[in-house]
Structure formats: structure tokens, C-alpha cells
Amino acid sequence: MWLDIYDKKAIWNGYTPSSGRFFPLASFDLNILMQFSRSPYLFFTYNAVLATIFAFIYLKILNNVNNSKINLLIVALFMLSVGFVIIFFGICYSDKIMIVFLSIFMLCTFYIIKNNDPKYIFLGIVFLNLSIYLKEPIFIATFCIGFLLFIQSFKNHYKNLKTYSILIMLSSIIYCILYFILIFNNIEKSYDRYTQNSDVITITLHGIINYILNDGIIIFLLPTLFVYRIFRVFIKKDKFEVFFDSFLSAGFVYLCIYLVLGIFETYYLLPCYIFSGASILYFLVNQQYTKFIFIKIALALGLLGFFASSLPFGIYNMINLKAQGVQFNEILDFSAKYLKQNPNTDIYFDGTGRGREIYAEYYVGYFVEYLNKIYNIKEFDIKTSMPNLKDIKIDSKKPYTYFNSLDLHTPKSGDLIILNNTTTNKINKTYMQDLNDKYTLIYKSNFSTIPYINIKSIIKFVNLNLTKSNHSLFGHQNVFRLPLNAYIFKVE
């Protein structure tokens, strides 16, 4: 995406009928920004502004639920969660502006329900529609909200709420109609992240485990509250809490959509937090549901996952995304200068082979692409000595051995070996000493990252040293994502 911005090319807008994708407002903000500047500072400043706006809006929502100083801590911790960090420390994620729009829609809905105030209807519907066209599943969750609000508008005799709920449902239905007309009959292959060589069972199991560890609050607490609210409303005849039950239901529906689709990206459940966060706070604190043991257990499991996995993973990503970006640029600068003087050099990436199951193929791809387009360096080759895995895409038209062949090679005199924390090899003092003994160190980065330490890396470390299972769920040997610096060695 940075190269598209660099070339001032229109960034992908999420309209791909052949794969069933229809979120046409994706990247609209980036396409506008690039007309003014291609500076990374502009885009990251924009991210910071969006994050600040979100913090104020969602804090306002929570303060309307329960005016407590702890709300600030809740928002701050959420903004350190791994999903939030990924989308706000990156450029290519339309989710960041979507959750801002969803938050505004929520706040407008709250005021319409609380005060029966019609002046928020237009604003709420505008930001609802902006959200719908930024992520496909949103329309299902928002239709759920509209439907529940519509039912309650008869019971409460809120004319404005009835109008608002009809407009919400109508917005969702219009999206569905457009999807059917523009996309449905043109789908050639449903969207997924698999290839014919992918181990779907292992990937799915890995995704579910990640959801449990990183999003325990959504996986454990949200469904528990949702089911219990059904029990309270339909069996115990409790009052239906118009705002809180509607948005709690939307969060649960959104979770179910991704579980059914089998898509497990780290940040994909963020809208669940937006939809249900205020409701969870309301039922736990205002309604004192924490007095029930099953709620306590679900909450404990959710918080355990957050503090043991999501929070440390988020902090790691905050630092590592910055560090890896700096290291990547330094490696490119050094490599470009070196390759100008030493064309036709073969380059190896330590611990990186072919197969996206565990190897950082993306890193090799970006390295080649940036050298080609930014530095106009093309006279080199990428090779690997690591074993080939199964999930490999070979492209015979690409000029580099790594991409057009399954051949393995052994580094020879004059070749370069690049080492950073994407390696799959077990990095320790002995390994680093062996590299220094065998090869000549010609570059070391000036910027360091931090080790990756959370419950997942600890479990993998225990397995590596005690149980020693070879199951693919445990990934590779570099469980703490070392080294902290990037290195380039020359084979003499």
C-alpha cells in the first residue's frame, strides 16, 4: 500500500465482485490524504487523530452508562489491545475509521433512546451507512439493532425511535440489495485465506485458539451475558433494556458471523467490543451481574486472556511495528548501496523458506518490491536453504529463484544472509556466535525491538523445551521473536 501512495495510485476500495467483496468505502480517507502529501508523518498523524476522537467518543458513551473514573482506564486498556494496536499503528486498515463511525452511531442512538431527541437521527443514519460500506458483516449486526429498536418503539411509543429504527433496517436492506445486484451473481470464488495446499483444520484450530486467548471477553463473557439476558427477558420477564440489549445482541451476532465464516484475523472482532462494550459494563456494574458465579467465571476467563495475551501482544506490536519499520528501511538502504557495488549477489533470509504456514514470505516480498521500485535495484537473486513447506505459490514469471522455483541452495562465498526477528530458527547466544564465527558481520541495525512475551510464547517455550511436540499448532522455534536487532552477514 505504501508503494501505491508513493506512486499516487488509487488504493483498493474493497469492490471485488469475483471474490464476493463489497466494502467500497475502504481506503477513501487514504485516497484523499495522498492528494495532499505522501509523507508517512501525515498518515500516522491522521491515525493518532482518529484514535483520539475514538477515545473521547467511547469514553462519552461509557460515562453515560456509569460515570466512573474507571471508564478512562477501560478505554485506555482497550486501546492497548492487540487488535486496536494493529489497525491504528498500520496504514492499510479501514477498520480504524469504521470503529470511529460506529461509535458515533452508538452515541447518537443512545441520545435518541434516552431523550427521544430527533436531531440525532440524521447524524446517526449517516455514520451508520458509512460504517456499513466499510465492512460487509456490519449490515447484519445493524439490522439486528434496527429490528430490536423497532419492536421496542411500539412498546415505548417513541415516534422518533420508530422512524430511526426503520431507517436503520432500510439502510441494511439497501446494502443487501446492492450486494445481490452488484456482487452475488459475479462471485467466482468465495473469499478466504486458503490455497489448495492449506491445512484448513490446523489453520481453523489455530484461529479459534487465538480468538480465545486474545478476545476472551468476547468469546466467553459476551455469549454468557447474551444467553443470560434472553433468560431474564423471556423467562423471568425482566424489562428489555432498549439500548443495551440491542447492542449486546449486535455484538453477539457479529461474533457468530466470523465464527461461521471461519475467518480469524487478530483485529476482526473489534466491532464486537464497540457494539457490546457499553452493554457489558452496564450489566456487570449497574445491574450487578457479577454476583452470579457463571458471570464471574466468564469474566475471569476473559480478563485472563486479555492480560495474559492481548495486552502484552498489543504492547509488543506497538514497539515492534515501529522497530521493524526502521530496521526494514535501514536494511533496504544498506542493501541498495551494497548491491550497486556488488550486482548479481545472492541473498538469503535466515530461517525463511517457502510456505506461509510459518515462514515470513511477506517480508521477502516487500524487500524485493521496495528494492525494485524505490531504489531501482534489480540485479540480485533471493534464494533459500530452508525446507519447503506445503502452502507454496510458485510464479514462473518472477525473476527471482525464491518465487519461481522450489530449489534449495547453500550459501556460497559472496552471498549475503539477512537475519531479523522473522526468522524461524531458535535464536540464542550460541546461534549468534556460530553466525559470527562462520560469516562476516557487515551490518547491524541501530534500532532495537523487544522480545515477544505473552502466554502464547510461554506455552510454545514450554513445549519446545519439555513436551517437544512437533504439531504445527506450535509454529516454529523462534518463540520470543529474536534477535532484537537486524543483521546482515557476508559469506567469505
Side-chain angles (χ1 to χ4, degrees):
M1 181 170 286
W2 268 121
L3 292 177
D4 290 335
I5 294 173
Y6 181 82
D7 294 331
K8 283 198 172 182
K9 290 182 181 178
I11 302 172
W12 181 55
N13 62 5
Y15 178 74
T16 313
S18 61
S19 60
R21 302 309 308 270
F22 184 57
F23 51 115
L25 290 184
S27 304
F28 82 93
D29 47 345
L30 304 184
N31 283 316
I32 293 172
L33 285 175
M34 76 165 70
Q35 305 307 315
F36 298 96
S37 174
R38 296 178 296 177
S39 169
Y41 294 106
L42 172 65
F43 292 87
F44 285 111
T45 299
Y46 169 69
N47 284 7
V49 170
L50 281 182
T52 303
I53 293 172
F54 166 79
F56 278 110
I57 294 171
Y58 213 79
L59 184 60
K60 182 71 174 177
I61 294 172
L62 296 186
N63 284 340
N64 275 292
V65 176
N66 180 21
N67 195 2
S68 169
K69 292 181 180 179
I70 198 173
N71 293 338
L72 182 60
L73 178 63
I74 291 172
V75 173
L77 287 173
F78 174 66
M79 293 176 72
L80 289 173
S81 66
V82 60
F84 193 95
V85 168
I86 286 174
I87 66 170
F88 276 90
F89 276 72
I91 296 298
C92 61
Y93 303 100
S94 58
D95 307 68
K96 57 180 176 285
I97 196 168
M98 179 192 68
I99 67 171
V100 173
F101 291 161
L102 275 181
S103 300
I104 297 173
F105 161 66
M106 280 187 67
L107 189 59
C108 291
T109 305
F110 182 86
Y111 285 137
I112 291 169
I113 294 171
K114 181 181 179 182
N115 304 321
N116 195 27
D117 193 338
K119 69 183 179 182
Y120 291 101
I121 292 178
F122 175 76
L123 195 62
I125 295 302
V126 167
F127 283 101
L128 164 71
N129 278 275
L130 289 172
S131 302
I132 287 175
Y133 292 91
L134 281 166
K135 206 74 170 182
E136 296 100 328
I138 293 292
F139 86 97
I140 301 175
T142 53
F143 182 85
C144 171
I145 293 170
F147 180 73
L148 293 173
L149 294 182
F150 181 69
I151 293 174
Q152 292 303 309
S153 68
F154 287 97
K155 296 182 179 180
N156 296 297
H157 304 290
Y158 286 164
K159 181 179 179 181
N160 292 322
L161 183 60
K162 186 178 296 181
T163 301
Y164 186 61
S165 62
I166 291 172
L167 290 174
I168 292 174
M169 290 190 292
L170 187 60
S171 297
S172 300
I173 291 169
I174 289 173
Y175 174 89
C176 187
I177 293 172
L178 287 175
Y179 188 92
F180 185 81
I181 294 172
L182 299 174
I183 306 295
F184 189 76
N185 290 326
N186 296 309
I187 296 176
E188 298 173 2
K189 181 183 181 297
S190 60
Y191 173 77
D192 58 45
R193 299 299 180 91
Y194 309 130
T195 69
Q196 61 182 0
N197 298 316
S198 296
D199 183 349
V200 177
I201 294 177
T202 298
I203 293 173
T204 301
L205 186 57
H206 189 268
I208 292 173
I209 292 172
N210 279 336
Y211 270 177
I212 290 172
L213 292 176
N214 292 327
D215 297 292
I217 291 173
I218 298 302
I219 298 299
F220 294 112
L221 184 58
L222 173 57
T224 303
L225 283 174
F226 175 76
V227 172
Y228 187 61
R229 282 303 296 166
I230 291 176
F231 170 77
R232 298 297 306 185
V233 172
F234 290 99
I235 305 301
K236 293 295 185 179
K237 305 301 179 182
D238 280 5
K239 174 187 174 183
F240 182 89
E241 299 287 351
V242 182
F243 177 84
F244 300 110
D245 281 322
S246 296
F247 278 89
L248 186 76
S249 300
F252 178 76
V253 167
Y254 199 86
L255 167 64
C256 291
I257 291 169
Y258 277 104
L259 292 178
V260 171
L261 290 174
I263 300 176
F264 304 100
E265 290 290 342
T266 308
Y267 57 92
Y268 270 23
L269 295 186
L270 278 179
C272 293
Y273 292 93
I274 307 305
F275 283 129
S276 64
S279 302
I280 290 173
L281 180 67
Y282 175 78
F283 289 121
L284 292 183
V285 178
N286 297 44
Q287 297 296 315
Q288 298 182 341
Y289 278 11
T290 50
K291 63 188 177 184
F292 302 112
I293 185 63
F294 60 92
I295 298 291
K296 287 181 180 178
I297 293 172
L299 176 60
L301 290 172
L303 292 177
L304 175 63
F306 179 80
F307 286 106
S309 182
S310 183
L311 181 61
F313 197 6
I315 293 171
Y316 169 79
N317 272 286
M318 286 179 62
I319 297 171
N320 185 63
L321 286 172
K322 171 65 175 178
Q324 198 172 65
V326 173
Q327 290 178 4
F328 182 68
N329 282 310
E330 289 181 357
I331 287 174
L332 285 172
D333 284 338
F334 181 89
S335 299
K337 294 173 183 176
Y338 183 90
L339 293 172
K340 279 184 180 180
Q341 299 175 358
N342 302 275
N344 302 313
T345 297
D346 291 342
I347 300 174
Y348 292 75
F349 287 84
D350 182 273
T352 301
R354 302 180 185 92
R356 63 177 186 166
E357 295 99 321
I358 63 170
Y359 294 133
E361 291 184 338
Y362 68 91
Y363 193 92
V364 181
Y366 286 139
F367 177 82
V368 170
E369 191 174 13
Y370 275 71
L371 277 182
N372 287 173
K373 294 185 177 180
I374 303 299
Y375 296 91
N376 196 30
I377 301 294
K378 300 178 181 180
E379 299 301 319
F380 62 94
D381 198 9
I382 305 292
K383 295 180 179 179
T384 182
S385 60
M386 297 294 292
N388 292 322
L389 301 181
K390 294 180 179 179
D391 199 355
I392 300 172
K393 288 184 178 180
I394 295 297
D395 187 347
S396 59
K397 295 180 181 179
K398 291 188 175 181
Y400 302 102
T401 302
Y402 178 85
F403 302 108
N404 65 28
S405 168
L406 291 174
D407 293 343
L408 302 180
H409 298 82
T410 301
K412 62 183 186 303
S413 179
D415 294 348
L416 298 185
I417 298 174
I418 296 176
L419 170 67
N420 65 6
N421 66 352
T422 64
T423 180
T424 60
N425 290 323
K426 183 179 179 181
I427 303 300
N428 52 33
K429 290 183 178 179
T430 302
Y431 189 86
M432 294 300 298
Q433 187 60 51
D434 287 345
L435 288 177
N436 280 291
D437 291 342
K438 290 172 61 178
Y439 311 120
T440 302
L441 178 64
I442 59 174
Y443 166 81
K444 179 182 176 181
S445 64
N446 296 312
F447 203 92
S448 300
T449 182
I450 61 172
Y452 169 63
I453 302 176
N454 68 359
I455 191 170
K456 289 192 290 185
S457 64
I458 293 171
I459 291 172
K460 291 178 179 180
F461 177 78
V462 170
N463 172 70
L464 189 64
N465 292 277
L466 295 178
T467 57
K468 299 183 179 180
S469 169
N470 292 320
H471 197 284
S472 56
L473 275 175
F474 290 104
H476 52 74
Q477 294 186 322
N478 190 17
V479 295
F480 297 120
R481 300 186 186 179
L482 302 172
L484 304 183
N485 291 84
Y487 302 84
I488 299 179
F489 295 91
K490 182 179 179 181
V491 182
E492 297 295 349

